[in-house]
Amino acid sequence: TTNNTTTMDNSKNQTIQQTQTPPSSILIHSCAGGVGSMLVQMSKILQLKPVVGVVGRTSKVEAAQALGCDVVIDKSCEDLWKAAEEASSNGLYTVIADANGVSTLAESYRHVAPSGRLVIFGFHTNLPMGGDLLHPFNWFRMGWKMSQMSKFDPMDLVTANKSVLGFNLSFLVDQMDMLTMLCDQIMEEWIPSAQLECPRIVEMEDVSEAHDLIQSGRSVGKIVISTKNW
């Protein structure tokens, strides 16, 4: 009986350890953006490897490397998925974080490893960009892109052992206990210990410039608006 109990305890501990083992690889789209830059740094803290980041401009490659990416893919001059396959040992990823929407979702899902997960946190390529956002053509184009969005077959999710998750911080306001715990970890542990770089802080009077910068697609990292002196 003692041996059986010991064996059960060992099996239980091994199962717990396996469950707690972090994913071994992650691909992060828009890795120099607001959410992506945080994901890169958190992935390094959690010892994921390799951390592969994707940028859409050559000017952002250096910033992505500085954040901690093991590999940076510049999709403006590289074949994104060929480079992604080469950067992973088996061409697949345990986690893929995708903020692009229609332009990459299907291939992102295809490159998720068995038991892996696709985390969707935005739809950048679905949305109009530039100055004339309210032009009727932009709304027509956005509607057409929405009609082309990937649809995930529940049967395929089961047989492939994959998960598709959605995330939007704006819709978590009723989860204050969880958010408080996570924010405390960031503010009290990761930022003071320099494991996580503090976002760029912009004063309220400069909010229009910050907005224009984000809309241009040239911004790097998270931009936080300070209301301290407002």
PDB file of all heavy atoms in Angstrom, residues 126-149:
ATOM      1  N   ASN A 126      -7.578  44.124 -40.553  1.00  0.00           N
ATOM      2  CA  ASN A 126      -8.991  44.281 -40.902  1.00  0.00           C
ATOM      3  C   ASN A 126      -9.414  45.755 -40.894  1.00  0.00           C
ATOM      4  O   ASN A 126     -10.404  46.124 -41.520  1.00  0.00           O
ATOM      5  CB  ASN A 126      -9.887  43.540 -39.908  1.00  0.00           C
ATOM      6  CG  ASN A 126      -9.744  42.041 -39.989  1.00  0.00           C
ATOM      7  OD1 ASN A 126      -8.652  41.536 -40.150  1.00  0.00           O
ATOM      8  ND2 ASN A 126     -10.840  41.335 -39.869  1.00  0.00           N
ATOM      9  N   LEU A 127      -8.694  46.565 -40.146  1.00  0.00           N
ATOM     10  CA  LEU A 127      -9.125  47.933 -39.876  1.00  0.00           C
ATOM     11  C   LEU A 127      -8.524  48.929 -40.856  1.00  0.00           C
ATOM     12  O   LEU A 127      -7.398  48.745 -41.337  1.00  0.00           O
ATOM     13  CB  LEU A 127      -8.734  48.323 -38.449  1.00  0.00           C
ATOM     14  CG  LEU A 127      -9.271  47.393 -37.348  1.00  0.00           C
ATOM     15  CD1 LEU A 127      -8.730  47.825 -35.996  1.00  0.00           C
ATOM     16  CD2 LEU A 127     -10.790  47.368 -37.345  1.00  0.00           C
ATOM     17  N   PRO A 128      -9.245  50.016 -41.149  1.00  0.00           N
ATOM     18  CA  PRO A 128      -8.712  51.049 -42.050  1.00  0.00           C
ATOM     19  C   PRO A 128      -7.569  51.809 -41.388  1.00  0.00           C
ATOM     20  O   PRO A 128      -7.577  52.019 -40.174  1.00  0.00           O
ATOM     21  CB  PRO A 128      -9.923  51.962 -42.296  1.00  0.00           C
ATOM     22  CG  PRO A 128     -10.805  51.752 -41.116  1.00  0.00           C
ATOM     23  CD  PRO A 128     -10.618  50.320 -40.716  1.00  0.00           C
ATOM     24  N   MET A 129      -6.598  52.183 -42.181  1.00  0.00           N
ATOM     25  CA  MET A 129      -5.457  52.949 -41.699  1.00  0.00           C
ATOM     26  C   MET A 129      -5.336  54.223 -42.519  1.00  0.00           C
ATOM     27  O   MET A 129      -5.837  54.311 -43.635  1.00  0.00           O
ATOM     28  CB  MET A 129      -4.162  52.125 -41.826  1.00  0.00           C
ATOM     29  CG  MET A 129      -4.144  50.861 -40.977  1.00  0.00           C
ATOM     30  SD  MET A 129      -4.112  51.207 -39.210  1.00  0.00           S
ATOM     31  CE  MET A 129      -2.433  51.845 -39.047  1.00  0.00           C
ATOM     32  N   GLY A 130      -4.645  55.200 -41.944  1.00  0.00           N
ATOM     33  CA  GLY A 130      -4.434  56.451 -42.667  1.00  0.00           C
ATOM     34  C   GLY A 130      -5.346  57.554 -42.187  1.00  0.00           C
ATOM     35  O   GLY A 130      -6.040  57.432 -41.171  1.00  0.00           O
ATOM     36  N   GLY A 131      -5.389  58.645 -42.936  1.00  0.00           N
ATOM     37  CA  GLY A 131      -6.105  59.832 -42.495  1.00  0.00           C
ATOM     38  C   GLY A 131      -7.604  59.781 -42.682  1.00  0.00           C
ATOM     39  O   GLY A 131      -8.361  60.211 -41.809  1.00  0.00           O
ATOM     40  N   ASP A 132      -8.079  59.249 -43.801  1.00  0.00           N
ATOM     41  CA  ASP A 132      -9.504  59.297 -44.114  1.00  0.00           C
ATOM     42  C   ASP A 132     -10.188  57.999 -43.668  1.00  0.00           C
ATOM     43  O   ASP A 132     -10.655  57.199 -44.475  1.00  0.00           O
ATOM     44  CB  ASP A 132      -9.696  59.513 -45.615  1.00  0.00           C
ATOM     45  CG  ASP A 132     -11.125  59.916 -45.962  1.00  0.00           C
ATOM     46  OD1 ASP A 132     -11.916  60.120 -45.019  1.00  0.00           O
ATOM     47  OD2 ASP A 132     -11.433  60.025 -47.157  1.00  0.00           O
ATOM     48  N   LEU A 133     -10.284  57.820 -42.356  1.00  0.00           N
ATOM     49  CA  LEU A 133     -10.796  56.565 -41.809  1.00  0.00           C
ATOM     50  C   LEU A 133     -12.285  56.374 -42.061  1.00  0.00           C
ATOM     51  O   LEU A 133     -12.775  55.255 -42.100  1.00  0.00           O
ATOM     52  CB  LEU A 133     -10.520  56.508 -40.298  1.00  0.00           C
ATOM     53  CG  LEU A 133      -9.055  56.582 -39.859  1.00  0.00           C
ATOM     54  CD1 LEU A 133      -8.963  56.509 -38.345  1.00  0.00           C
ATOM     55  CD2 LEU A 133      -8.238  55.455 -40.479  1.00  0.00           C
ATOM     56  N   LEU A 134     -13.015  57.488 -42.220  1.00  0.00           N
ATOM     57  CA  LEU A 134     -14.466  57.399 -42.345  1.00  0.00           C
ATOM     58  C   LEU A 134     -14.943  57.311 -43.797  1.00  0.00           C
ATOM     59  O   LEU A 134     -16.142  57.335 -44.048  1.00  0.00           O
ATOM     60  CB  LEU A 134     -15.118  58.600 -41.658  1.00  0.00           C
ATOM     61  CG  LEU A 134     -14.851  58.715 -40.155  1.00  0.00           C
ATOM     62  CD1 LEU A 134     -15.544  59.946 -39.593  1.00  0.00           C
ATOM     63  CD2 LEU A 134     -15.305  57.459 -39.414  1.00  0.00           C
ATOM     64  N   HIS A 135     -14.030  57.224 -44.733  1.00  0.00           N
ATOM     65  CA  HIS A 135     -14.418  57.115 -46.134  1.00  0.00           C
ATOM     66  C   HIS A 135     -15.229  55.835 -46.335  1.00  0.00           C
ATOM     67  O   HIS A 135     -14.854  54.763 -45.834  1.00  0.00           O
ATOM     68  CB  HIS A 135     -13.183  57.101 -47.026  1.00  0.00           C
ATOM     69  CG  HIS A 135     -13.490  57.277 -48.481  1.00  0.00           C
ATOM     70  ND1 HIS A 135     -14.014  56.258 -49.246  1.00  0.00           N
ATOM     71  CD2 HIS A 135     -13.366  58.355 -49.301  1.00  0.00           C
ATOM     72  CE1 HIS A 135     -14.186  56.687 -50.484  1.00  0.00           C
ATOM     73  NE2 HIS A 135     -13.811  57.957 -50.543  1.00  0.00           N
ATOM     74  N   PRO A 136     -16.357  55.901 -47.058  1.00  0.00           N
ATOM     75  CA  PRO A 136     -17.216  54.709 -47.258  1.00  0.00           C
ATOM     76  C   PRO A 136     -16.471  53.500 -47.810  1.00  0.00           C
ATOM     77  O   PRO A 136     -16.781  52.356 -47.464  1.00  0.00           O
ATOM     78  CB  PRO A 136     -18.274  55.207 -48.240  1.00  0.00           C
ATOM     79  CG  PRO A 136     -18.344  56.674 -48.006  1.00  0.00           C
ATOM     80  CD  PRO A 136     -16.945  57.108 -47.670  1.00  0.00           C
ATOM     81  N   PHE A 137     -15.464  53.758 -48.664  1.00  0.00           N
ATOM     82  CA  PHE A 137     -14.722  52.632 -49.234  1.00  0.00           C
ATOM     83  C   PHE A 137     -13.998  51.847 -48.151  1.00  0.00           C
ATOM     84  O   PHE A 137     -13.905  50.614 -48.223  1.00  0.00           O
ATOM     85  CB  PHE A 137     -13.721  53.132 -50.280  1.00  0.00           C
ATOM     86  CG  PHE A 137     -12.876  52.036 -50.861  1.00  0.00           C
ATOM     87  CD1 PHE A 137     -13.410  51.130 -51.770  1.00  0.00           C
ATOM     88  CD2 PHE A 137     -11.554  51.883 -50.477  1.00  0.00           C
ATOM     89  CE1 PHE A 137     -12.639  50.107 -52.289  1.00  0.00           C
ATOM     90  CE2 PHE A 137     -10.775  50.861 -50.992  1.00  0.00           C
ATOM     91  CZ  PHE A 137     -11.310  49.969 -51.907  1.00  0.00           C
ATOM     92  N   ASN A 138     -13.475  52.552 -47.136  1.00  0.00           N
ATOM     93  CA  ASN A 138     -12.776  51.877 -46.047  1.00  0.00           C
ATOM     94  C   ASN A 138     -13.711  50.954 -45.282  1.00  0.00           C
ATOM     95  O   ASN A 138     -13.333  49.849 -44.873  1.00  0.00           O
ATOM     96  CB  ASN A 138     -12.152  52.899 -45.098  1.00  0.00           C
ATOM     97  CG  ASN A 138     -10.872  53.497 -45.650  1.00  0.00           C
ATOM     98  OD1 ASN A 138     -10.148  52.835 -46.401  1.00  0.00           O
ATOM     99  ND2 ASN A 138     -10.587  54.730 -45.298  1.00  0.00           N
ATOM    100  N   TRP A 139     -14.943  51.401 -45.076  1.00  0.00           N
ATOM    101  CA  TRP A 139     -15.913  50.573 -44.372  1.00  0.00           C
ATOM    102  C   TRP A 139     -16.330  49.375 -45.219  1.00  0.00           C
ATOM    103  O   TRP A 139     -16.521  48.270 -44.695  1.00  0.00           O
ATOM    104  CB  TRP A 139     -17.137  51.412 -43.991  1.00  0.00           C
ATOM    105  CG  TRP A 139     -16.809  52.394 -42.920  1.00  0.00           C
ATOM    106  CD1 TRP A 139     -16.511  53.713 -43.085  1.00  0.00           C
ATOM    107  CD2 TRP A 139     -16.708  52.124 -41.524  1.00  0.00           C
ATOM    108  NE1 TRP A 139     -16.232  54.291 -41.869  1.00  0.00           N
ATOM    109  CE2 TRP A 139     -16.349  53.341 -40.892  1.00  0.00           C
ATOM    110  CE3 TRP A 139     -16.896  50.998 -40.733  1.00  0.00           C
ATOM    111  CZ2 TRP A 139     -16.169  53.451 -39.518  1.00  0.00           C
ATOM    112  CZ3 TRP A 139     -16.710  51.095 -39.358  1.00  0.00           C
ATOM    113  CH2 TRP A 139     -16.359  52.310 -38.767  1.00  0.00           C
ATOM    114  N   PHE A 140     -16.444  49.561 -46.528  1.00  0.00           N
ATOM    115  CA  PHE A 140     -16.760  48.446 -47.422  1.00  0.00           C
ATOM    116  C   PHE A 140     -15.629  47.421 -47.399  1.00  0.00           C
ATOM    117  O   PHE A 140     -15.870  46.210 -47.310  1.00  0.00           O
ATOM    118  CB  PHE A 140     -16.969  48.959 -48.842  1.00  0.00           C
ATOM    119  CG  PHE A 140     -17.135  47.866 -49.863  1.00  0.00           C
ATOM    120  CD1 PHE A 140     -18.349  47.211 -50.011  1.00  0.00           C
ATOM    121  CD2 PHE A 140     -16.059  47.488 -50.658  1.00  0.00           C
ATOM    122  CE1 PHE A 140     -18.500  46.190 -50.943  1.00  0.00           C
ATOM    123  CE2 PHE A 140     -16.197  46.463 -51.582  1.00  0.00           C
ATOM    124  CZ  PHE A 140     -17.419  45.818 -51.729  1.00  0.00           C
ATOM    125  N   ARG A 141     -14.395  47.915 -47.456  1.00  0.00           N
ATOM    126  CA  ARG A 141     -13.242  47.015 -47.448  1.00  0.00           C
ATOM    127  C   ARG A 141     -13.145  46.254 -46.126  1.00  0.00           C
ATOM    128  O   ARG A 141     -12.808  45.068 -46.100  1.00  0.00           O
ATOM    129  CB  ARG A 141     -11.958  47.804 -47.706  1.00  0.00           C
ATOM    130  CG  ARG A 141     -10.713  46.939 -47.796  1.00  0.00           C
ATOM    131  CD  ARG A 141      -9.536  47.726 -48.328  1.00  0.00           C
ATOM    132  NE  ARG A 141      -9.234  48.896 -47.520  1.00  0.00           N
ATOM    133  CZ  ARG A 141      -8.277  49.765 -47.801  1.00  0.00           C
ATOM    134  NH1 ARG A 141      -7.544  49.604 -48.890  1.00  0.00           N
ATOM    135  NH2 ARG A 141      -8.058  50.791 -47.021  1.00  0.00           N
ATOM    136  N   MET A 142     -13.449  46.946 -45.017  1.00  0.00           N
ATOM    137  CA  MET A 142     -13.406  46.290 -43.718  1.00  0.00           C
ATOM    138  C   MET A 142     -14.447  45.173 -43.633  1.00  0.00           C
ATOM    139  O   MET A 142     -14.177  44.087 -43.116  1.00  0.00           O
ATOM    140  CB  MET A 142     -13.627  47.309 -42.599  1.00  0.00           C
ATOM    141  CG  MET A 142     -13.498  46.723 -41.203  1.00  0.00           C
ATOM    142  SD  MET A 142     -13.421  47.980 -39.904  1.00  0.00           S
ATOM    143  CE  MET A 142     -15.039  48.731 -40.078  1.00  0.00           C
ATOM    144  N   GLY A 143     -15.646  45.445 -44.175  1.00  0.00           N
ATOM    145  CA  GLY A 143     -16.686  44.423 -44.184  1.00  0.00           C
ATOM    146  C   GLY A 143     -16.296  43.222 -45.019  1.00  0.00           C
ATOM    147  O   GLY A 143     -16.550  42.070 -44.630  1.00  0.00           O
ATOM    148  N   TRP A 144     -15.658  43.471 -46.165  1.00  0.00           N
ATOM    149  CA  TRP A 144     -15.215  42.368 -47.023  1.00  0.00           C
ATOM    150  C   TRP A 144     -14.162  41.530 -46.303  1.00  0.00           C
ATOM    151  O   TRP A 144     -14.202  40.286 -46.355  1.00  0.00           O
ATOM    152  CB  TRP A 144     -14.651  42.920 -48.327  1.00  0.00           C
ATOM    153  CG  TRP A 144     -14.203  41.825 -49.260  1.00  0.00           C
ATOM    154  CD1 TRP A 144     -14.968  41.089 -50.110  1.00  0.00           C
ATOM    155  CD2 TRP A 144     -12.861  41.323 -49.396  1.00  0.00           C
ATOM    156  NE1 TRP A 144     -14.206  40.172 -50.780  1.00  0.00           N
ATOM    157  CE2 TRP A 144     -12.906  40.280 -50.363  1.00  0.00           C
ATOM    158  CE3 TRP A 144     -11.645  41.655 -48.816  1.00  0.00           C
ATOM    159  CZ2 TRP A 144     -11.774  39.578 -50.742  1.00  0.00           C
ATOM    160  CZ3 TRP A 144     -10.523  40.947 -49.187  1.00  0.00           C
ATOM    161  CH2 TRP A 144     -10.584  39.921 -50.147  1.00  0.00           C
ATOM    162  N   LYS A 145     -13.228  42.180 -45.619  1.00  0.00           N
ATOM    163  CA  LYS A 145     -12.195  41.440 -44.896  1.00  0.00           C
ATOM    164  C   LYS A 145     -12.814  40.601 -43.781  1.00  0.00           C
ATOM    165  O   LYS A 145     -12.377  39.464 -43.530  1.00  0.00           O
ATOM    166  CB  LYS A 145     -11.157  42.405 -44.328  1.00  0.00           C
ATOM    167  CG  LYS A 145     -10.242  43.008 -45.385  1.00  0.00           C
ATOM    168  CD  LYS A 145      -9.201  43.899 -44.754  1.00  0.00           C
ATOM    169  CE  LYS A 145      -8.235  44.459 -45.792  1.00  0.00           C
ATOM    170  NZ  LYS A 145      -7.195  45.321 -45.183  1.00  0.00           N
ATOM    171  N   MET A 146     -13.802  41.146 -43.099  1.00  0.00           N
ATOM    172  CA  MET A 146     -14.465  40.384 -42.045  1.00  0.00           C
ATOM    173  C   MET A 146     -15.100  39.109 -42.610  1.00  0.00           C
ATOM    174  O   MET A 146     -15.095  38.058 -41.964  1.00  0.00           O
ATOM    175  CB  MET A 146     -15.529  41.241 -41.366  1.00  0.00           C
ATOM    176  CG  MET A 146     -14.972  42.357 -40.485  1.00  0.00           C
ATOM    177  SD  MET A 146     -14.040  41.734 -39.068  1.00  0.00           S
ATOM    178  CE  MET A 146     -15.348  40.970 -38.127  1.00  0.00           C
ATOM    179  N   SER A 147     -15.617  39.195 -43.831  1.00  0.00           N
ATOM    180  CA  SER A 147     -16.234  38.022 -44.446  1.00  0.00           C
ATOM    181  C   SER A 147     -15.201  36.956 -44.813  1.00  0.00           C
ATOM    182  O   SER A 147     -15.554  35.795 -45.031  1.00  0.00           O
ATOM    183  CB  SER A 147     -17.019  38.433 -45.699  1.00  0.00           C
ATOM    184  OG  SER A 147     -16.137  38.802 -46.763  1.00  0.00           O
ATOM    185  N   GLN A 148     -13.928  37.363 -44.893  1.00  0.00           N
ATOM    186  CA  GLN A 148     -12.856  36.439 -45.250  1.00  0.00           C
ATOM    187  C   GLN A 148     -12.128  35.871 -44.033  1.00  0.00           C
ATOM    188  O   GLN A 148     -11.150  35.152 -44.172  1.00  0.00           O
ATOM    189  CB  GLN A 148     -11.831  37.148 -46.154  1.00  0.00           C
ATOM    190  CG  GLN A 148     -12.411  37.756 -47.420  1.00  0.00           C
ATOM    191  CD  GLN A 148     -13.089  36.735 -48.294  1.00  0.00           C
ATOM    192  OE1 GLN A 148     -12.493  35.729 -48.653  1.00  0.00           O
ATOM    193  NE2 GLN A 148     -14.349  36.998 -48.653  1.00  0.00           N
ATOM    194  N   MET A 149     -12.602  36.197 -42.840  1.00  0.00           N
ATOM    195  CA  MET A 149     -11.925  35.759 -41.614  1.00  0.00           C
ATOM    196  C   MET A 149     -11.914  34.238 -41.497  1.00  0.00           C
ATOM    197  O   MET A 149     -12.848  33.547 -41.945  1.00  0.00           O
ATOM    198  CB  MET A 149     -12.630  36.347 -40.400  1.00  0.00           C
ATOM    199  CG  MET A 149     -12.375  37.841 -40.223  1.00  0.00           C
ATOM    200  SD  MET A 149     -10.772  38.169 -39.490  1.00  0.00           S
ATOM    201  CE  MET A 149     -11.140  37.752 -37.803  1.00  0.00           C
TER     202      MET A 149
END
